[in-house]
Every structure is written in C-alpha cells, then in structure tokens.
Amino acid sequence: MGSVHDSDIKPVGSYPPSGIDVLIVGTGLAGLTASIECIRKGHNVRIIERHDDINTAGDMYFMGQSATKFFRHWPELSREYRLISMNNAWIETFKHDGERMITPLKVSDRLRQQGMDPNTPPGAFQMRPLIYRMYLNEVERQGIKIQFGHKVVDYWEDQDRQKAGVVTDKGERFEADVVIAADGVGSKCQKLVGGQVRAMSSGRAMWRAAFPIHHLDKNPELKKFLKMGGPDEDEPMVTGSEEESWTHTVESDDVLKNMDKGLGSSSWDPRIKELIKLTPSKTIVNFELFWRNPQPSWTSPGDRVVLIGDAAHSFLPASGNGATQAIEDAVSIATCLQIGGKPAVPEAVRTHARFRYVRCSCAQKMGFSNAERLQHTDWAKVKVNPKLAQPQLPSWIWKHDPEAYAYENYEKMAETIRRGIPFDQVDPDTVPPNYPPGYKYEPWNIEDMENEVQKAAVNLGSGNWE
C-alpha cells in the first residue's frame, strides 16, 4: 500500500505501474498537479485542454505550505520553486485614495506578530506566470502530452465497462478508467455528479495585472513610490464588461474610465492611475467575483468521474485558499488511486472525496470570512491593530499533509464507506479530522452567510478554527 513521512523522498519510479488510465480535463493548478502526481504514483495520464495554449496571465496568489509539501519528491520542481518564491516579500497596505494604513512590514514579521514561527511560514506569495512556467517545465520533463483545443461539453461513465469519459464540441470521445474534472468553475461535469451550482454575483470585481518592473522607468516618481522593500530596497513589495476568467483582459483606458465610479469625492490616488497608464496592453485581467454555494457532490454515480479544484469548490481570490486546496485535491486523488489500485478505483475516488469534502467546506467558509474581513474594514481600528485587515491562516490549514494523511487513514475511511456510515457521521476518533478540531459538519449556503455579515458577524460553526 505504501507510506510517506517527512523524511521520505519518493521520486518518479518509486511506485510500480498501477495500470490505471487517468484522463485529466483542464490545465489549471489542480490539473497540472494531478498530472505529475499521477505519473509519480504509477498511473497513465492524458490531459485535454479547451484552449489552444495554457493561460499564464494574472498576478499572484498565496500557496500554502500544505500544498507544497509534495515538492520534496520533485527535485527540479523544488529547485525552481525556491528560485521564484517571494520569501523576502514586504507588505504595506493603502486605502484606494492613497492613505497608508499599514506601514511596510516584512511578511516574516507579520507572521511573528500573529504568534507564528517566521522560519516555518504557512506559505508564500507566488507570481502566477512563474508558477505556471515551473509546472509546465515539469510536465515537459515527464513527457506528458497536453492535447489543446478540445472543449469538453459532456461527461459520461459506463459502469458495466468500468470506464468513464468525455465528449468534445467536435464530437470527439475520450475515455479512461477514471476522469479527473479540473476544468474550473462551471465545469460540465457538475451535471453528472449532482447538479450545477448557480453563480451569484458578489457585487465586486478585481482588476489584476503583473508586468516587468522596467515599465516603471517611464515615470521615476512613480517608481520611487513603488520602490522595493528592505534595507537595501531590493526585496519585493506587495501592494495591494466583466467575466469570471483569467482570459478576459481589458485595456488601461477602460480601467481609468471606470475606477472612480461610485466613490463620490473619495477618488483613487493619482499615483495608482499613473501606474495603470503604464501597464502594458493585454495584461490587465478584469475578474468579476462570484459566490457559489458548496457543490453537493463531487463524484459521479459510479465514482469514475471526480471534480477537483475550482470545479469542486470555488474560492474568491481574496480568500487566500483556492490555490492551496486545488493542489491538495490533486495530491490526494493521485495517492488514493495508488493505494486502492485498479480493481478498486470507485472506492478510491469515494475515499478521496470523503477526505476532502468537509475540509474544503470549512476552508470555503473561512475564505468567505477572510474576504469579508478585507471588504468591510474599519480602517480606524486597523491603524491601531493591523491584524484586523489580515486574513486568518489557521494551523489546521497549513500544517496538513494530504499525501501522508491519505496513507495513514485510507483503510479507516474506506471501511466507513463499506459499512455505509454517512460522511458527516464518521467518528473523529476513528479518522482524525483534517478540519477544525471539534467541528461538526453542517450544510451551509452563501445567503445565510451574507445574512450573518449584515449582523456584523460570521459564525463559522463549532470547533477550534484558530
């Protein structure tokens, strides 16, 4: 069955071939991680992608430590990650009108203020284009072929033949022993696994961009304002028609025409407007923010199709957890398939879903709470206590190791399935929780959460969420 501990390094070739054919739909973080981890676990992998190339647009996200622990098995990936990581990042916080609310502070110092060990941070800020290039380099090293231009319009499974697959808009059919749907929000797989989750506008949108710093040379005063942090000013500083997509870009003129709408006399700082003017064409992503209720089910009736990443549990960008949970999903499903083996693919898929469902439900709730913390900010109080404008990073999130957890608990969780125990009645003394200790699962929805926001409080539920 196998095991893994922090000291174990199991590179490609450590596991025998499983004979399991895996079809992955989508090349986001979840899909790319699943592809290389499935290869490492001995599975056969194919990837299809609807676009003609991989989209590397965007700016940055936070990658939690729980999502990067598996890097220890990938020496080249680990080396590249260390080279591109913003380990020395500084953060300062401004209101939109230019008033500085939190002075520049090294991320490690912020962690220290929160009582964390700065030498063991919960994660790191990463530039999205660099992370995608890092992943693509590993995919190429492993010889994994990505078939582009295949837009999936339907998912299916044949329990008699023990196969599942997809149909594209051109009528092409692909099949495998298991299909991993990593094709993001609005995945066509949601119909097969239990219904489409309706998107509800949050009433917010984000303009996001990343571009080389040399563009600031055209405006020396602006470059001085956006100087790097640190004693030698050489360390990175993080400052802070719409579609929900990384592919929908707008030009700077469009942003400038709309950014002051609804602000009254409190307009945007002119320096920020100058920054937008210097932003290269085709780099500003106009990202509308949608809420979604939890997906009620992640697996097909025969458990040969499974949702992972945003397709299973979407997060708002400000929640700080979407990338982390997507990668955890990928590591977990690859491991469960390796443990269960080809004869037990359906049980492996169900066990994976049980490992992940309550944890991700809790992470989504915390993401909602973090987003509201950043949106409805009492800046007068923040000046006194900067923690009020910082997202929560509890230890139950970042200390988790999805691979080790699967090896340690697979048989125990699979047994609850065989005995017909509902997922929300699994005894925590039998399967240790990977969610807040003491938490008892309760269904929830965005409407109820928003009602709680109106009451100036978000009730996360029972247990220790710190």
Side-chain angles (χ1 to χ4, degrees), residues 332-407:
S332 175
I333 185 62
T335 304
C336 287
L337 290 171
Q338 183 265 322
I339 297 171
K342 189 169 183 175
V345 164
E347 182 178 85
V349 170
R350 285 197 298 273
T351 302
H352 155 79
R354 286 204 170 193
F355 283 155
R356 303 294 304 155
Y357 191 84
V358 177
R359 175 174 173 81
C360 288
S361 174
C362 290
Q364 283 179 292
K365 288 181 78 172
M366 176 152 286
F368 183 94
S369 176
N370 281 340
E372 291 304 313
R373 174 185 289 238
L374 298 175
Q375 181 71 18
H376 297 101
T377 309
D378 186 330
W379 289 110
K381 292 182 179 179
V382 168
K383 278 197 167 183
V384 178
N385 182 8
K387 289 184 181 180
L388 298 176
Q390 296 172 8
Q392 291 178 278
L393 295 170
S395 59
W396 63 267
I397 288 281
W398 63 269
K399 285 186 177 180
H400 183 58
D401 184 331
E403 184 182 14
Y405 186 80
Y407 281 121

Coordinates of all heavy atoms in Angstrom, one line a residue, residues 332-407:
S332 N -4.1 14.3 -3.2 CA -5.0 13.3 -2.6 C -5.5 12.3 -3.5 O -5.4 11.1 -3.3 CB -6.1 14.1 -1.8 OG -7.0 13.1 -1.3
I333 N -6.1 12.7 -4.7 CA -6.7 11.8 -5.6 C -5.6 10.9 -6.2 O -5.9 9.7 -6.4 CB -7.5 12.5 -6.7 CG1 -8.3 11.5 -7.6 CG2 -6.7 13.4 -7.5 CD1 -9.2 10.6 -6.8
A334 N -4.5 11.4 -6.5 CA -3.4 10.6 -7.1 C -3.0 9.5 -6.1 O -2.7 8.3 -6.5 CB -2.2 11.4 -7.5
T335 N -2.9 9.9 -4.8 CA -2.5 8.9 -3.8 C -3.5 7.9 -3.5 O -3.2 6.7 -3.4 CB -2.2 9.7 -2.5 OG1 -1.2 10.7 -2.7 CG2 -1.7 8.8 -1.4
C336 N -4.8 8.3 -3.4 CA -5.9 7.3 -3.2 C -6.0 6.3 -4.3 O -6.2 5.1 -4.0 CB -7.2 8.1 -3.0 SG -7.3 8.9 -1.4
L337 N -5.8 6.7 -5.5 CA -5.8 5.8 -6.6 C -4.7 4.8 -6.5 O -4.8 3.6 -6.8 CB -5.8 6.5 -8.0 CG -7.0 7.3 -8.4 CD1 -6.7 8.2 -9.6 CD2 -8.2 6.4 -8.7
Q338 N -3.5 5.3 -6.1 CA -2.4 4.4 -6.0 C -2.6 3.4 -4.9 O -2.3 2.2 -5.0 CB -1.1 5.2 -5.7 CG 0.2 4.4 -5.6 CD 0.5 4.0 -4.2 OE1 0.4 4.8 -3.3 NE2 1.1 2.8 -4.0
I339 N -3.2 3.8 -3.8 CA -3.4 2.9 -2.6 C -4.5 1.9 -3.0 O -4.3 0.7 -2.8 CB -3.9 3.7 -1.4 CG1 -2.8 4.7 -0.9 CG2 -4.3 2.7 -0.3 CD1 -3.3 5.6 0.2
G340 N -5.6 2.3 -3.6 CA -6.7 1.4 -3.9 C -6.4 0.5 -5.0 O -6.8 -0.7 -5.0
G341 N -5.7 0.9 -6.0 CA -5.4 0.1 -7.2 C -6.5 0.0 -8.2 O -7.6 0.5 -7.9
K342 N -6.2 -0.5 -9.3 CA -7.1 -0.5 -10.5 C -8.5 -1.2 -10.1 O -9.5 -0.8 -10.5 CB -6.5 -1.1 -11.7 CG -7.4 -1.0 -13.0 CD -6.6 -1.3 -14.2 CE -7.5 -1.1 -15.5 NZ -6.7 -1.4 -16.7
P343 N -8.5 -2.4 -9.4 CA -9.7 -3.1 -9.1 C -10.7 -2.2 -8.2 O -11.9 -2.5 -8.2 CB -9.3 -4.3 -8.4 CG -7.9 -4.6 -8.8 CD -7.3 -3.2 -9.0
A344 N -10.1 -1.2 -7.5 CA -10.9 -0.5 -6.5 C -10.9 1.0 -6.8 O -11.0 1.8 -5.9 CB -10.4 -0.7 -5.1
V345 N -10.9 1.3 -8.1 CA -11.0 2.8 -8.5 C -12.2 3.5 -7.9 O -12.0 4.6 -7.3 CB -10.9 2.9 -10.0 CG1 -11.4 4.3 -10.4 CG2 -9.5 2.7 -10.6
P346 N -13.4 2.9 -8.0 CA -14.5 3.7 -7.4 C -14.4 3.9 -5.9 O -14.7 5.0 -5.4 CB -15.7 2.8 -7.7 CG -15.3 2.0 -8.9 CD -13.9 1.8 -8.7
E347 N -13.9 2.9 -5.2 CA -13.7 3.1 -3.7 C -12.7 4.1 -3.4 O -12.8 4.9 -2.5 CB -13.4 1.8 -3.1 CG -13.2 1.9 -1.5 CD -12.9 0.6 -0.9 OE1 -11.7 0.2 -0.9 OE2 -13.8 -0.1 -0.4
A348 N -11.6 4.1 -4.2 CA -10.5 5.1 -4.1 C -11.0 6.5 -4.3 O -10.7 7.5 -3.5 CB -9.4 4.8 -5.0
V349 N -11.9 6.7 -5.3 CA -12.5 8.0 -5.6 C -13.4 8.5 -4.4 O -13.3 9.6 -4.0 CB -13.2 8.0 -6.9 CG1 -14.0 9.3 -7.1 CG2 -12.2 7.8 -8.1
R350 N -14.2 7.6 -4.0 CA -15.1 7.9 -2.8 C -14.3 8.3 -1.6 O -14.6 9.2 -0.9 CB -16.1 6.8 -2.5 CG -17.2 6.6 -3.5 CD -18.3 5.7 -3.0 NE -17.9 4.4 -2.7 CZ -17.8 3.3 -3.5 NH1 -18.2 3.5 -4.8 NH2 -17.4 2.1 -3.2
T351 N -13.2 7.5 -1.3 CA -12.4 7.8 -0.1 C -11.8 9.1 -0.2 O -11.7 9.9 0.7 CB -11.4 6.7 0.0 OG1 -12.0 5.4 0.1 CG2 -10.5 6.9 1.3
H352 N -11.2 9.4 -1.4 CA -10.6 10.8 -1.6 C -11.7 11.9 -1.3 O -11.4 12.8 -0.7 CB -10.1 10.9 -3.1 CG -10.1 12.3 -3.6 ND1 -9.1 13.2 -3.3 CD2 -11.0 13.0 -4.4 CE1 -9.4 14.4 -3.8 NE2 -10.5 14.3 -4.5
A353 N -12.9 11.7 -1.9 CA -13.9 12.7 -1.7 C -14.2 12.9 -0.2 O -14.4 14.0 0.3 CB -15.2 12.4 -2.5
R354 N -14.2 11.8 0.5 CA -14.5 11.9 2.0 C -13.4 12.6 2.7 O -13.6 13.4 3.7 CB -14.7 10.6 2.6 CG -16.1 10.0 2.2 CD -16.5 8.9 3.2 NE -17.9 8.6 3.0 CZ -18.7 7.9 3.8 NH1 -18.2 7.5 5.0 NH2 -19.9 7.6 3.6
F355 N -12.1 12.4 2.3 CA -11.0 13.1 2.9 C -11.1 14.6 2.7 O -10.8 15.4 3.6 CB -9.7 12.6 2.3 CG -9.2 11.3 2.7 CD1 -8.4 10.5 1.9 CD2 -9.5 10.8 4.0 CE1 -7.9 9.3 2.3 CE2 -9.0 9.6 4.4 CZ -8.2 8.8 3.6
R356 N -11.7 15.0 1.6 CA -11.6 16.4 1.1 C -12.8 17.2 1.4 O -12.7 18.4 1.6 CB -11.3 16.4 -0.4 CG -10.0 15.7 -0.8 CD -8.8 16.4 -0.2 NE -8.7 17.8 -0.6 CZ -8.0 18.7 0.1 NH1 -7.4 18.4 1.2 NH2 -8.0 19.9 -0.4
Y357 N -14.0 16.6 1.5 CA -15.2 17.4 1.4 C -15.4 18.3 2.6 O -15.6 19.5 2.4 CB -16.4 16.4 1.3 CG -17.7 17.2 0.9 CD1 -18.0 17.5 -0.4 CD2 -18.6 17.6 1.9 CE1 -19.2 18.2 -0.7 CE2 -19.7 18.3 1.6 CZ -20.0 18.6 0.3 OH -21.1 19.4 0.0
V358 N -15.3 17.8 3.8 CA -15.6 18.6 5.0 C -14.5 19.6 5.1 O -14.7 20.8 5.4 CB -15.7 17.8 6.2 CG1 -15.9 18.7 7.5 CG2 -16.9 16.8 6.1
R359 N -13.2 19.2 4.8 CA -12.1 20.2 4.9 C -12.3 21.3 4.0 O -12.1 22.5 4.4 CB -10.8 19.4 4.6 CG -9.6 20.4 4.5 CD -8.3 19.6 4.3 NE -7.1 20.4 4.1 CZ -6.5 21.1 5.1 NH1 -6.8 20.9 6.3 NH2 -5.4 21.8 4.8
C360 N -12.7 21.1 2.8 CA -12.8 22.2 1.8 C -14.1 23.0 2.1 O -14.1 24.2 1.9 CB -12.9 21.6 0.4 SG -11.3 21.0 -0.2
S361 N -15.1 22.4 2.7 CA -16.3 23.2 3.1 C -15.9 24.2 4.2 O -16.3 25.3 4.1 CB -17.4 22.2 3.6 OG -18.4 23.0 4.2
C362 N -15.0 23.7 5.1 CA -14.6 24.6 6.1 C -13.6 25.7 5.6 O -13.7 26.9 6.0 CB -13.8 23.8 7.2 SG -14.9 22.8 8.2
A363 N -12.8 25.3 4.6 CA -11.9 26.3 4.0 C -12.7 27.3 3.2 O -12.3 28.5 3.2 CB -10.9 25.6 3.1
Q364 N -13.8 26.9 2.6 CA -14.6 27.9 1.9 C -15.2 28.9 2.8 O -15.3 30.1 2.5 CB -15.7 27.1 1.1 CG -15.2 26.5 -0.2 CD -16.3 25.8 -0.9 OE1 -16.8 24.8 -0.5 NE2 -16.7 26.3 -2.1
K365 N -15.7 28.4 3.9 CA -16.3 29.2 4.9 C -15.3 30.2 5.5 O -15.6 31.4 5.6 CB -16.9 28.4 6.1 CG -18.2 27.7 5.7 CD -18.7 26.9 6.9 CE -19.5 27.8 7.9 NZ -20.2 27.1 8.9
M366 N -14.1 29.7 5.7 CA -13.1 30.7 6.2 C -12.7 31.6 5.1 O -12.4 32.8 5.4 CB -11.8 29.9 6.7 CG -10.7 30.8 7.1 SD -9.6 30.0 8.3 CE -10.7 30.1 9.8
G367 N -12.7 31.2 3.9 CA -12.4 32.1 2.8 C -13.4 33.2 2.7 O -13.1 34.4 2.4
F368 N -14.7 32.9 2.9 CA -15.8 33.9 2.9 C -15.5 34.9 4.0 O -15.6 36.1 3.9 CB -17.1 33.2 3.1 CG -18.3 34.2 3.1 CD1 -19.0 34.4 1.9 CD2 -18.7 34.8 4.2 CE1 -20.1 35.2 1.9 CE2 -19.8 35.7 4.2 CZ -20.4 35.9 3.0
S369 N -15.1 34.3 5.2 CA -14.9 35.2 6.3 C -13.7 36.1 6.1 O -13.7 37.3 6.4 CB -14.6 34.4 7.6 OG -14.2 35.1 8.7
N370 N -12.6 35.6 5.4 CA -11.4 36.4 5.1 C -11.8 37.5 4.1 O -11.3 38.6 4.2 CB -10.3 35.5 4.6 CG -9.6 34.8 5.6 OD1 -9.6 35.2 6.8 ND2 -8.9 33.7 5.3
A371 N -12.6 37.1 3.1 CA -13.0 38.1 2.1 C -13.8 39.2 2.7 O -13.6 40.4 2.4 CB -13.8 37.4 1.0
E372 N -14.7 38.9 3.6 CA -15.5 39.9 4.3 C -14.6 40.8 5.2 O -14.8 42.0 5.3 CB -16.6 39.3 5.1 CG -17.7 38.7 4.2 CD -18.3 39.7 3.2 OE1 -18.6 40.8 3.6 OE2 -18.3 39.3 2.0
R373 N -13.6 40.2 5.8 CA -12.7 40.9 6.7 C -12.0 42.0 5.9 O -11.7 43.1 6.4 CB -11.7 39.9 7.3 CG -10.6 40.5 8.1 CD -9.6 39.5 8.6 NE -10.2 38.6 9.6 CZ -9.7 38.4 10.8 NH1 -8.6 39.0 11.1 NH2 -10.2 37.6 11.6
L374 N -11.6 41.7 4.7 CA -10.9 42.6 3.8 C -11.8 43.6 3.2 O -11.4 44.7 2.8 CB -10.1 41.9 2.7 CG -9.0 40.9 3.3 CD1 -8.4 40.2 2.1 CD2 -8.0 41.7 4.0
Q375 N -13.1 43.2 3.0 CA -14.0 44.1 2.3 C -14.7 45.1 3.2 O -14.8 46.3 2.9 CB -15.1 43.3 1.6 CG -16.1 44.1 0.8 CD -15.6 44.7 -0.5 OE1 -14.5 44.2 -0.9 NE2 -16.2 45.7 -1.0
H376 N -15.1 44.7 4.4 CA -15.8 45.5 5.3 C -14.8 45.9 6.5 O -14.9 45.3 7.6 CB -17.0 44.9 5.9 CG -18.1 44.6 4.8 ND1 -18.3 43.4 4.2 CD2 -18.9 45.5 4.2 CE1 -19.2 43.5 3.3 NE2 -19.7 44.7 3.3
T377 N -13.9 46.7 6.1 CA -12.8 47.0 7.0 C -13.0 48.4 7.8 O -13.3 49.4 7.2 CB -11.5 47.1 6.3 OG1 -11.3 46.0 5.4 CG2 -10.3 47.2 7.2
D378 N -12.9 48.3 9.1 CA -12.9 49.5 9.9 C -11.5 50.0 10.0 O -10.7 49.6 10.8 CB -13.4 49.2 11.3 CG -13.6 50.5 12.1 OD1 -12.9 51.5 11.9 OD2 -14.5 50.5 13.0
W379 N -11.1 51.0 9.1 CA -9.7 51.4 8.9 C -9.2 52.1 10.2 O -8.0 52.1 10.5 CB -9.5 52.2 7.7 CG -9.7 51.4 6.4 CD1 -10.7 51.5 5.5 CD2 -8.8 50.4 6.0 NE1 -10.5 50.5 4.5 CE2 -9.3 49.9 4.8 CE3 -7.6 49.9 6.5 CZ2 -8.7 48.9 4.1 CZ3 -6.9 48.9 5.7 CH2 -7.5 48.4 4.6
A380 N -10.1 52.8 10.9 CA -9.6 53.4 12.1 C -9.1 52.4 13.1 O -8.1 52.6 13.8 CB -10.8 54.2 12.7
K381 N -9.8 51.3 13.2 CA -9.4 50.2 14.1 C -8.1 49.5 13.6 O -7.3 49.1 14.3 CB -10.5 49.2 14.3 CG -11.7 49.7 15.1 CD -12.7 48.7 15.3 CE -13.9 49.2 16.1 NZ -15.0 48.2 16.3
V382 N -8.0 49.4 12.2 CA -6.8 48.7 11.6 C -5.6 49.5 11.9 O -4.5 48.9 12.2 CB -7.0 48.6 10.1 CG1 -5.7 48.2 9.4 CG2 -8.1 47.6 9.8
K383 N -5.6 50.8 12.0 CA -4.4 51.6 12.3 C -3.9 51.3 13.7 O -2.7 51.3 13.9 CB -4.8 53.1 12.2 CG -4.7 53.6 10.8 CD -4.6 55.2 10.8 CE -4.3 55.7 9.4 NZ -4.1 57.1 9.4
V384 N -4.8 50.9 14.6 CA -4.4 50.5 15.9 C -4.0 49.1 16.0 O -3.0 48.7 16.6 CB -5.6 50.8 16.9 CG1 -5.1 50.3 18.3 CG2 -5.9 52.3 16.9
N385 N -4.7 48.2 15.3 CA -4.5 46.8 15.3 C -4.5 46.2 13.9 O -5.6 45.8 13.3 CB -5.6 46.0 16.1 CG -5.3 44.5 16.2 OD1 -4.3 44.1 15.8 ND2 -6.3 43.8 16.8
P386 N -3.4 46.2 13.2 CA -3.3 45.7 11.8 C -3.8 44.3 11.5 O -4.2 44.0 10.4 CB -1.8 45.8 11.4 CG -1.2 46.8 12.4 CD -2.0 46.6 13.7
K387 N -3.9 43.5 12.6 CA -4.4 42.1 12.4 C -5.8 42.1 11.9 O -6.2 41.1 11.3 CB -4.3 41.4 13.8 CG -3.0 41.0 14.3 CD -3.1 40.2 15.6 CE -1.7 39.9 16.1 NZ -1.8 39.1 17.4
L388 N -6.6 43.2 12.1 CA -7.9 43.2 11.7 C -8.1 43.2 10.2 O -9.2 42.9 9.6 CB -8.7 44.4 12.3 CG -8.7 44.4 13.8 CD1 -9.4 45.7 14.3 CD2 -9.5 43.2 14.3
A389 N -7.0 43.5 9.5 CA -7.0 43.6 8.0 C -6.2 42.4 7.4 O -5.9 42.5 6.2 CB -6.5 44.9 7.5
Q390 N -5.9 41.4 8.2 CA -5.1 40.3 7.7 C -6.0 39.0 7.7 O -6.7 38.8 8.7 CB -3.9 40.1 8.6 CG -3.0 41.3 8.6 CD -1.9 41.1 9.6 OE1 -1.7 40.1 10.3 NE2 -1.1 42.2 9.8
P391 N -5.9 38.3 6.6 CA -6.7 37.0 6.6 C -6.2 36.0 7.6 O -5.0 36.0 8.0 CB -6.4 36.5 5.2 CG -5.1 37.1 4.8 CD -5.1 38.5 5.4
Q392 N -7.1 35.2 8.1 CA -6.7 34.2 9.1 C -6.0 33.0 8.4 O -6.3 32.6 7.3 CB -8.0 33.6 9.7 CG -8.7 34.6 10.7 CD -9.9 34.0 11.3 OE1 -11.0 34.0 10.6 NE2 -9.8 33.5 12.5
L393 N -4.9 32.5 9.0 CA -4.1 31.4 8.5 C -4.0 30.4 9.6 O -2.9 30.2 10.2 CB -2.8 31.9 8.0 CG -2.7 32.9 6.8 CD1 -1.3 33.5 6.7 CD2 -3.2 32.2 5.6
P394 N -5.1 29.6 9.9 CA -5.0 28.7 11.0 C -4.2 27.5 10.7 O -4.0 27.1 9.6 CB -6.5 28.3 11.1 CG -7.1 28.5 9.8 CD -6.4 29.6 9.2
S395 N -3.7 26.9 11.8 CA -2.7 25.8 11.6 C -3.4 24.5 11.0 O -2.7 23.7 10.4 CB -2.1 25.4 13.0 OG -3.1 25.1 13.9
W396 N -4.7 24.4 11.2 CA -5.3 23.2 10.6 C -5.3 23.2 9.1 O -5.4 22.2 8.4 CB -6.7 23.0 11.1 CG -7.7 24.1 10.8 CD1 -8.0 25.2 11.6 CD2 -8.5 24.2 9.6 NE1 -9.0 26.0 10.9 CE2 -9.3 25.4 9.7 CE3 -8.7 23.4 8.5 CZ2 -10.2 25.8 8.7 CZ3 -9.6 23.8 7.5 CH2 -10.3 25.0 7.6
I397 N -5.1 24.4 8.5 CA -5.0 24.6 7.1 C -3.6 24.2 6.7 O -3.3 23.3 5.9 CB -5.3 26.0 6.6 CG1 -6.8 26.3 6.7 CG2 -4.8 26.2 5.2 CD1 -7.6 25.7 5.6
W398 N -2.6 25.0 7.2 CA -1.2 24.9 6.6 C -0.4 23.8 7.1 O 0.6 23.4 6.5 CB -0.5 26.2 6.7 CG -0.3 26.7 8.1 CD1 -1.1 27.6 8.9 CD2 0.9 26.5 8.9 NE1 -0.5 27.9 10.1 CE2 0.7 27.3 10.1 CE3 2.1 25.8 8.7 CZ2 1.7 27.3 11.1 CZ3 3.1 25.9 9.7 CH2 2.9 26.6 10.9
K399 N -0.7 23.2 8.3 CA 0.1 22.0 8.8 C -0.3 20.7 8.1 O 0.4 19.7 8.3 CB -0.1 22.0 10.3 CG 0.7 23.0 11.0 CD 0.7 22.8 12.5 CE 1.5 23.8 13.3 NZ 1.5 23.6 14.7
H400 N -1.4 20.7 7.4 CA -1.9 19.4 6.8 C -0.9 18.9 5.7 O -0.3 19.7 5.0 CB -3.3 19.7 6.2 CG -3.9 18.5 5.6 ND1 -4.2 17.3 6.4 CD2 -4.4 18.2 4.4 CE1 -4.8 16.5 5.6 NE2 -4.9 16.9 4.4
D401 N -0.8 17.6 5.6 CA -0.1 17.0 4.5 C -1.1 16.0 3.9 O -1.3 14.9 4.4 CB 1.1 16.2 5.0 CG 2.0 15.6 3.9 OD1 1.4 15.3 2.9 OD2 3.2 15.5 4.1
P402 N -1.7 16.3 2.7 CA -2.7 15.5 2.1 C -2.2 14.1 1.7 O -3.0 13.1 1.7 CB -3.2 16.3 0.9 CG -2.0 17.2 0.6 CD -1.4 17.5 1.9
E403 N -0.9 14.0 1.3 CA -0.4 12.7 0.9 C -0.2 11.8 2.2 O -0.7 10.6 2.2 CB 1.0 12.8 0.2 CG 1.5 11.5 -0.3 CD 2.9 11.7 -0.9 OE1 3.5 12.8 -0.8 OE2 3.3 10.8 -1.6
A404 N 0.4 12.3 3.2 CA 0.6 11.5 4.4 C -0.7 11.1 5.1 O -0.9 10.0 5.5 CB 1.5 12.3 5.4
Y405 N -1.7 12.1 5.0 CA -3.0 11.8 5.6 C -3.7 10.7 4.9 O -4.3 9.8 5.5 CB -3.8 13.1 5.5 CG -5.2 13.1 6.2 CD1 -5.3 13.2 7.5 CD2 -6.3 12.8 5.4 CE1 -6.5 13.2 8.2 CE2 -7.6 12.8 6.0 CZ -7.7 13.0 7.4 OH -8.9 12.9 8.0
A406 N -3.6 10.6 3.6 CA -4.2 9.6 2.8 C -3.6 8.2 3.2 O -4.3 7.2 3.4 CB -4.1 9.8 1.3
Y407 N -2.3 8.1 3.2 CA -1.7 6.8 3.6 C -2.0 6.4 5.0 O -2.2 5.2 5.3 CB -0.1 6.9 3.5 CG 0.3 6.8 2.0 CD1 1.1 7.9 1.4 CD2 0.1 5.7 1.3 CE1 1.5 7.8 0.1 CE2 0.5 5.6 0.0 CZ 1.2 6.6 -0.6 OH 1.6 6.5 -1.9

